[in-house]
Amino acid sequence: MLTATRTTTMLPVEDPERAGRFYADMLGLKPITTTEDGTRIFALGQGDALGLRPAEKGAQSRQTAISFEVPDLEGEIAELEGKGVRFEDYDLPDFKTTGHIAVMGTERAAWFTDTEGNILCLHELLDSEA
């Protein structure tokens, strides 16, 4: 059934061209195609894809829209910051980042936004045997 299918995550973007440059140039995703409605499709690992779908301003989520699992969180943050990506920092009563990173149970994570205001995350799983 659906457990054996590939998925395409769809993100709403006000300006697909601007967003496409961000995902290709800053995040290094490979463009696959642009559909008739202007949705730009990018390859993700394991045969999955990301679609940047044209949408009106304000259609973006106020929650994490997509999270990329990475093996070296600090290394990825440094590489993306070197390209101009700005990471968020939080200092809330029950949630705090240090050096852009929050530790949450069995993972560490850091957040940034794309050019359209979608909230994106990098996360690294912690070694459960440590």
Side-chain angles (χ1 to χ4, degrees), residues 22 49 53 80 103 123:
F22 176 84
R53 180 181 49 80
L80 291 175
V103 177
H123 72 274

Side-chain angles (χ1 to χ4, degrees), residues 14-75:
E14 184 181 359
D15 185 333
E17 186 174 327
R18 175 180 61 206
R21 285 191 307 271
F22 176 84
Y23 282 86
D25 299 343
M26 302 290 249
L27 303 187
L29 299 185
K30 179 183 174 191
I32 299 173
T33 191
T34 300
T35 65
E36 287 183 22
D37 72 352
T39 299
R40 293 172 184 255
I41 308 292
F42 290 82
L44 294 176
Q46 310 290 323
D48 294 327
L50 173 65
L52 305 177
R53 180 181 49 80
E56 67 282 347
K57 184 178 179 93
Q60 295 69 34
S61 174
R62 302 243 184 242
Q63 304 296 321
T64 302
I66 188 168
S67 186
F68 299 92
E69 184 178 326
V70 298
D72 176 12
L73 187 57
E74 286 87 355

Side-chain angles (χ1 to χ4, degrees), residues 85-129:
V85 173
R86 293 181 51 197
F87 282 81
E88 303 293 327
D89 285 305
Y90 302 97
D91 189 1
L92 306 170
D94 58 346
F95 188 78
K96 181 178 175 77
T97 55
T98 302
H100 309 308
I101 298 172
V103 177
M104 304 172 306
T106 60
E107 69 178 332
R108 300 179 324 135
W111 292 264
F112 60 99
T113 58
D114 67 10
T115 56
E116 311 306 297
N118 290 300
I119 300 170
L120 308 177
C121 178
L122 301 179
H123 72 274
E124 177 184 52
L125 299 177
L126 296 173
D127 184 1
S128 61
E129 297 179 21

